[in-house]
Amino acid sequence: MTSSSAVAFAVATYQGWFPDHASEKVCCFGSLLSNANLSAPCRPQVNQPTPASRGSTRLKRSLAWWNFTFAVPRAINEDETSSRYTFDDLENQRSSDDPHVDLVHPISRSEAGLSRSIEQLVCQSSLLDKLSAVYLHVLASEQWNASRLALCHRNYMTSAANLIHHLAIRSLDIEQLKHDAICTGLLDLGTINSHVLASVTAGIQLCHYASSNSPSAQDNIGLRPHSAESLDKRKNGDFSINALRKRASLNRERLFGTFHDRRTTLIMVTIGMEATQSESLIPDLLNKGTTVFRINCAHGDSSLWSEIIRRVRHNSRALEKPCRILMDLAGPKLRTGRLKPGPCVIKVSPKRDASGEVMVPAQVWLLQKGAWAPHAHVPPDAVLYIDGPELLDRLGPRDVLRFHDARGRERVLKINSKLHATGGHSFLAECPRTAYIHSGAEMHLKGKKGKHLLGRVVDVPASEPFIRLRVGDLLIITRDSSCEREPTGGAHRITCPSGYLFDSVKPGERIYFDDGKIEGVIQGTGHSEVIVSITRAGIRGTKLGSDKSINIPESSIRFQGLTSKDLMDLDFVSSCADMVGVSFVRDVQDIVLLRRELEQRKLDNLGIILKIETESGFKNLPLLLLEAMKGPNPLGVMIARGDLAVECGWEKLAYLQEEILSICGAAHVPVIWATQVLESLVKSGVPTRAEITDVALGRRASCIMLNKGKNLLEAVATLNAILHSTPSKITVQMKHLVLSSHSI
């Protein structure tokens, strides 16, 4: 929190401030730490002493109370330690000569003095008085931000107010109060973020009832509200626990649809080109528990997206399994440029043991051109499309196809079985030796009477190009679109299409590639080149390909909120998708621009997903939520842990995701748990123990996202099983472990 964003205030109030306390005589001292935009700091110019600014001012119970706000901006060079207030050194003074007069502690003109006064007022009082002080502090913060709350849409009015309540609690150091409340069995102030006011009110009432017969309770002048009726209004009205829980559930359903099968966490899957190459992939994903499909607009074009969405909608209706579609705008993210495409060759290799002997031949699907790949529990090592109707008509089990691979070496494919596929013939074959099969390769089948039937391999995709970087290598990043993959002059070269990189970086700053897999230090900069020395990579080097992320956390780079590509893609998203993901959100202005574009297109029902993946986005999260709540659109937040860890530091990631969950819980905004979920399972087929526990922690979110990979179906099934492993089921399974009294 910046030094200019701290505000401390004291409030003396009566019926004008809180309608629920019209008959009460309350003296409230509180403190509010917030962003400058959340509550602008000010210092009132007072020519005459006011009752709230005089030392030891006596406020008689019979007099009308004053409305007064005292705000102090922190000095520029003031110590940051005073930005959080503690209940450590405050005295609640009483006049010895007049027992009917309350004393308001003198307010110092320095923030340090004021903060001491705020805390001294509560530290030596009872738990009831402390909770009452917190209660009034929460109400004061709501009133302080009343103008901001008034701008929120009616769908989010109570949620925005609860967010303000949560921030008010967080602005105080209440660790001792937490401990006292837990020890007395009342409540845990660390877990009330989704219903702050009702929980504090309940604690006050319990304390009040418990101490109502105590003689000391009658004499103690604290900050307790004396009207049980006014407390009940807050406890049982719009801010009741049940009402706020219903609001949180409603916000989830508005964004993701109705949760079925008693689900509390949904499964989201990222899909791309592979969804159009298999007839069974999307229905299998739906059957295994997927309820949200994500499309990344940074890859592909509108024709590909349209085909994916068509298949998703068709299978969703056919299987009667409702689902939603999220499309992520590419945003201003820095990425590596396109490398020259590799050859149209696919490598097919059998599995070998340690001595090099073949254990299992490579499994290959042979499909007629235009056919869809059939369903298989174990995916093949390669899929080849064959153009040759006569050959495929005659082909059958035990036949052998002969061909020469890209190196000119003779290889064979042995047909094991014929498969069922839509749109043409399909066969399962095995290849006992390593082969590099290229487009145009001729497949020969020796027929009857020595006649040879011929078919050609078609549509082999170009191999993914990459450069392999090792520690100590030099990498030159250029603006030029032409890029050589081979080292030139001892340095690798790659492009970056964004000019932001070249205009913002400085020598000595760190730079990361591909979500932090490769790290380097900038050695030199120029108008069209940046020279990077690689400082971290794999032992055998790490591949860096096209469209991989570039992060510069130490740079003061300033991005545009929505790019021109984003605005064009938004037109497509608005007509085809249910939600739009906004990448690299940094400040309120990004949300203002987005809301303006949505209003122009009259998109009140399009869900908005704010992707938090930068340090500024994390720090501004409360403000981002409050700005987004001005519109009627369903709202959600994605914890994009890949970029977030690189931008903020790996060691901070656990804390960051906990804070995001807490803030969004207070705002009743659904959260998507994303990046590297069950990644080892998706890629290799075997999960790590840490990944399983990560998913278990992710159950607190409304949705968990999986990225695409070879074993995606198995990962969805595993994730679905974990999400359905409720504690009640585990308890039932372990009942037989409970020892009876007779066994001792």
Side-chain angles (χ1 to χ4, degrees):
M1 182 174 296
T2 60
S3 60
S4 63
S5 65
V7 176
F9 69 90
V11 179
T13 182
Y14 75 125
Q15 52 263 39
W17 260 51
F18 309 125
D20 292 344
H21 301 275
S23 62
E24 298 173 17
K25 302 178 180 66
V26 180
C27 176
C28 167
F29 283 84
S31 61
L32 172 62
L33 292 181
S34 68
N35 200 291
N37 291 329
L38 197 61
S39 53
C42 62
R43 184 186 299 275
Q45 301 296 327
V46 182
N47 297 326
Q48 299 295 332
T50 65
S53 62
R54 295 192 191 105
S56 302
T57 303
R58 298 172 184 269
L59 296 178
K60 296 186 178 181
R61 294 181 184 272
S62 59
L63 299 178
W65 285 48
W66 294 81
N67 288 333
F68 181 77
T69 300
F70 186 86
V72 183
R74 187 183 309 150
I76 295 178
N77 297 323
E78 186 173 340
D79 188 1
E80 192 69 26
T81 57
S82 63
S83 65
R84 193 172 178 91
Y85 303 121
T86 59
F87 294 154
D88 285 340
D89 46 349
L90 209 169
E91 284 184 50
N92 188 11
Q93 301 184 16
R94 290 209 47 191
S95 172
S96 59
D97 57 342
D98 188 351
H100 301 290
V101 176
D102 290 338
L103 288 179
V104 179
H105 196 277
I107 300 178
S108 171
R109 292 190 179 274
S110 67
E111 184 178 347
L114 177 60
S115 61
R116 284 194 299 270
S117 299
I118 294 170
E119 303 306 335
Q120 287 171 2
L121 185 61
V122 193
C123 75
Q124 296 182 359
S125 56
S126 67
L127 178 60
L128 173 58
D129 290 334
K130 293 178 182 180
L131 288 175
S132 300
V134 171
Y135 174 82
L136 294 176
H137 172 59
V138 167
L139 293 181
S141 66
E142 179 183 339
Q143 182 66 21
W144 185 264
N145 294 278
S147 59
R148 182 180 296 276
L149 293 174
L151 297 176
C152 292
H153 191 270
R154 62 180 180 275
N155 292 342
Y156 296 109
M157 193 70 72
T158 54
S159 297
N162 190 74
L163 174 59
I164 295 296
H165 299 163
H166 171 69
L167 297 176
I169 293 283
R170 293 297 302 273
S171 71
L172 298 170
D173 187 349
I174 55 174
E175 292 302 319
Q176 184 60 44
L177 179 57
K178 286 182 181 179
H179 179 267
D180 294 343
I182 292 175
C183 289
T184 56
L186 289 178
L187 75 162
D188 183 358
L189 291 174
T191 61
I192 64 171
N193 56 317
S194 60
H195 36 75
V196 175
L197 206 56
S199 297
V200 174
T201 300
I204 291 174
Q205 289 183 326
L206 289 173
C207 282
H208 185 68
Y209 297 152
S211 62
S212 59
N213 296 324
S214 172
S216 61
Q218 305 299 327
D219 299 330
N220 186 16
I221 298 179
L223 300 178
R224 77 187 62 148
H226 301 287
S227 171
E229 179 182 356
S230 64
L231 287 175
D232 288 337
K233 289 181 181 179
R234 288 284 181 171
K235 182 180 177 182
N236 301 319
D238 292 339
F239 291 95
S240 68
I241 294 178
N242 287 336
L244 292 180
R245 284 178 175 174
K246 289 179 180 178
R247 172 57 57 184
S249 178
L250 179 61
N251 289 345
R252 286 196 303 268
E253 291 185 359
R254 291 180 63 234
L255 184 67
F256 293 118
T258 304
F259 284 38
H260 298 282
D261 302 328
R262 295 184 178 180
R263 288 173 178 261
T264 58
T265 305
L266 302 180
I267 298 176
M268 177 186 296
V269 168
T270 302
I271 53 176
M273 175 72 74
E274 68 282 355
T276 64
Q277 297 173 342
S278 172
E279 180 184 9
S280 61
L281 177 60
I282 291 176
D284 287 344
L285 288 172
L286 287 168
N287 285 324
K288 290 185 180 297
T290 303
T291 49
V292 184
F293 290 89
R294 172 180 173 264
I295 299 173
N296 191 348
C297 293
H299 307 288
D301 53 27
S302 58
S303 60
L304 173 62
W305 306 335
S306 297
E307 177 61 19
I308 294 174
I309 293 173
R310 185 193 68 80
R311 295 192 180 200
V312 170
R313 301 293 192 199
H314 170 76
N315 285 283
S316 176
R317 289 191 297 267
L319 297 173
E320 297 182 348
K321 292 183 177 294
C323 67
R324 296 286 174 107
I325 294 176
L326 164 66
M327 296 190 70
D328 277 356
L329 300 179
K333 185 173 183 176
L334 297 177
R335 295 181 182 273
T336 58
R338 300 293 301 176
L339 294 168
K340 292 180 180 179
C344 297
V345 175
I346 185 171
K347 181 182 179 181
V348 178
S349 300
K351 292 180 174 60
R352 301 177 183 271
D353 59 18
S355 61
E357 297 295 328
V358 174
M359 298 173 57
V360 180
Q363 303 297 303
V364 181
W365 277 351
L366 300 180
L367 301 178
Q368 184 174 349
K369 184 179 179 181
W372 286 357
H375 170 76
H377 294 288
V378 179
D381 297 299
V383 178
L384 298 178
Y385 290 91
I386 307 295
D387 185 12
E390 186 178 359
L391 170 67
L392 296 173
D393 288 340
R394 297 288 302 274
L395 198 61
R398 298 184 180 180
D399 286 338
V400 177
L401 292 175
R402 301 183 181 276
F403 66 98
H404 288 83
D405 71 358
R407 303 169 296 174
R409 298 180 180 178
E410 185 175 353
R411 294 290 184 263
V412 297
L413 288 173
K414 300 177 180 179
I415 307 300
N416 285 338
S417 60
K418 188 172 184 177
L419 305 176
H420 297 285
T422 303
H425 298 285
S426 176
F427 303 91
L428 176 62
E430 62 180 34
C431 184
R433 301 181 65 184
T434 300
Y436 292 82
I437 305 174
H438 60 284
S439 284
E442 297 182 348
M443 297 286 174
H444 298 272
L445 175 64
K446 186 176 182 181
K448 296 180 180 180
K449 300 180 180 180
K451 182 179 180 181
H452 286 268
L453 301 177
L454 177 65
R456 286 185 171 83
V457 178
V458 296
D459 299 335
V460 176
S463 58
E464 181 180 353
F466 64 88
I467 56 177
R468 188 178 294 275
L469 297 173
R470 297 174 173 83
V471 174
D473 285 353
L474 287 180
L475 175 65
I476 300 176
I477 309 174
T478 66
R479 295 178 187 259
D480 189 5
S481 58
S482 61
C483 176
E484 300 180 11
R485 291 188 288 117
E486 296 299 327
T488 57
H492 297 274
R493 301 179 72 89
I494 200 167
T495 62
C496 177
S498 174
Y500 291 112
L501 173 69
F502 305 94
D503 299 335
S504 303
V505 296
K506 299 176 182 178
E509 293 180 341
R510 293 175 299 160
I511 185 170
Y512 297 87
F513 302 92
D514 197 5
D515 288 340
K517 295 178 182 176
I518 302 172
E519 180 181 348
V521 175
I522 296 175
Q523 299 293 331
T525 62
H527 175 71
S528 59
E529 285 188 350
V530 173
I531 301 176
V532 178
S533 175
I534 304 302
T535 58
R536 187 178 67 191
I539 297 177
R540 298 181 179 179
T542 302
K543 297 179 181 179
L544 179 61
S546 305
D547 296 323
K548 299 302 181 182
S549 63
I550 301 177
N551 297 90
I552 319 168
E554 299 174 356
S555 174
S556 58
I557 188 170
R558 173 60 191 169
F559 289 107
Q560 177 185 359
L562 291 176
T563 66
S564 56
K565 180 182 185 304
D566 292 337
L567 296 178
M568 290 188 296
D569 292 343
L570 185 58
D571 293 327
F572 179 90
V573 172
S574 62
S575 61
C576 299
D578 304 296
M579 297 172 279
V580 58
V582 189
S583 301
F584 277 81
V585 180
R586 294 174 180 268
D587 54 35
V588 172
Q589 191 58 37
D590 295 339
I591 307 301
V592 172
L593 177 59
L594 174 66
R595 288 185 55 246
R596 183 166 63 242
E597 295 296 331
L598 295 179
E599 289 173 359
Q600 290 176 357
R601 294 167 173 80
K602 299 180 179 179
L603 301 174
D604 292 345
N605 296 320
L606 182 65
I608 299 174
I609 304 296
L610 305 181
K611 298 178 63 179
I612 306 302
E613 42 199 337
T614 64
E615 186 173 9
S616 58
F618 168 74
K619 289 182 176 179
N620 293 325
L621 180 57
L623 293 174
L624 297 177
L625 294 175
L626 290 172
E627 182 64 32
M629 286 177 174
K630 294 179 181 179
N633 300 76
L635 180 62
V637 166
M638 177 184 290
I639 309 178
R641 299 186 295 178
D643 287 296
L644 190 62
V646 176
E647 291 280 334
C648 301
W650 301 90
E651 68 282 358
K652 298 178 182 178
L653 180 59
Y655 162 76
L656 295 176
Q657 66 186 20
E658 291 298 320
E659 285 295 296
I660 294 174
L661 283 170
S662 178
I663 292 173
C664 292
H668 308 138
V669 172
V671 174
I672 301 172
W673 187 276
T675 311
Q676 291 186 321
V677 177
L678 296 178
E679 184 178 35
S680 297
L681 175 58
V682 171
K683 292 185 176 180
S684 67
V686 180
T688 65
R689 281 72 173 171
E691 288 176 346
I692 299 298
T693 54
D694 176 62
V695 169
L697 290 174
R699 289 191 295 189
R700 294 172 297 168
S702 299
C703 185
I704 297 180
M705 189 187 85
L706 293 171
N707 282 320
K708 52 190 175 181
K710 185 177 180 180
N711 302 285
L712 179 59
L713 290 174
E714 183 178 356
V716 172
T718 301
L719 176 57
N720 192 48
I722 295 173
L723 296 180
H724 279 78
S725 298
T726 60
S728 59
K729 294 181 179 179
I730 296 175
T731 303
V732 170
Q733 294 173 0
M734 297 186 66
K735 277 187 176 179
H736 65 280
L737 297 179
V738 178
L739 297 177
S740 66
S741 58
H742 302 290
S743 62
I744 299 177

